């Protein structure tokens, strides 16, 4: 009974979250910090984490021998967690680089009062 509740609980939480991220939707604070591509990568990470959360239940319900089930759990669950974390960190890092690059491009396009002096043009009457 516990394994069925475990799967139902994580399915109710992780699947809508992953679907929302893959569709480019999510909480406002995440959308402000991420690009649409970054949200999709985070949605993939949520699906990977969801699959990792299902491994213990699936191995217990499948009737596998205990040694095989434990080996599969020890291999797949940490791997899923680390892959999901790597995807999230990679998307966050790329979003930071993209934001910094767009800020640099925007600040270079805005003329400052000193730009006329440094370019050799003098202000005032001609």
């Amino acid at each position: 009974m516990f394994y069925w509740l475990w799967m139902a609980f994580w399915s109710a939480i992780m699947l809508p979250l992953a679907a929302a991220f893959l569709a480019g939707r999510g909480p406002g604070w995440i959308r402000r910090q991420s690009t649409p591509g970054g949200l999709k990568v985070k949605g993939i990470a949520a699906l990977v984490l969801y699959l990792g959360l299902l491994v213990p239940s699936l191995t217990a319900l499948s009737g596998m021998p205990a040694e095989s089930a434990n080996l599969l759990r020890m291999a797949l669950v940490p791997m899923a967690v680390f892959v999901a974390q790597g995807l999230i960190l990679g998307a966050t890092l790329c979003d930071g680089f993209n934001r910094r690059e767009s800020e640099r491009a925007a600040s270079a396009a805005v003329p400052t009062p000193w730009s006329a002096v440094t370019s050799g043009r003098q202000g005032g009457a001609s």
Side-chain angles (χ1 to χ4, degrees):
M1 178 72 174
F2 170 76
Y3 295 116
W4 290 107
L5 291 174
W6 178 268
M7 290 193 310
F9 177 77
W10 286 114
S11 296
I13 291 177
M14 295 300 286
L15 286 179
L17 179 69
F21 284 169
L22 287 171
R25 297 188 176 111
W29 60 274
I30 290 180
R31 280 184 284 142
R32 282 190 299 272
Q33 294 176 357
S34 298
T35 60
L39 276 178
K40 290 182 182 182
V41 173
K42 290 175 184 177
I44 293 169
L47 286 176
V48 169
L49 189 59
Y50 169 70
L51 292 175
L53 288 168
L54 290 184
V55 168
S57 296
L58 293 176
T59 55
L61 292 173
S62 69
M64 292 176 72
E67 290 179 6
S68 300
N70 287 337
L71 181 64
L72 196 62
R73 286 179 197 147
M74 287 189 316
L76 291 181
V77 173
M79 184 174 63
V81 169
F82 288 129
V83 166
Q85 188 65 28
L87 285 169
I88 291 170
L89 290 175
T92 304
L93 186 65
C94 286
D95 286 340
F97 286 140
N98 290 339
R99 187 178 310 110
R100 189 176 306 142
E101 186 63 32
S102 66
E103 287 172 358
R104 238 184 241 140
S107 67
V110 175
T112 61
W114 292 103
S115 63
V117 174
T118 58
S119 66
R121 289 182 288 147
Q122 298 276 331
S126 26

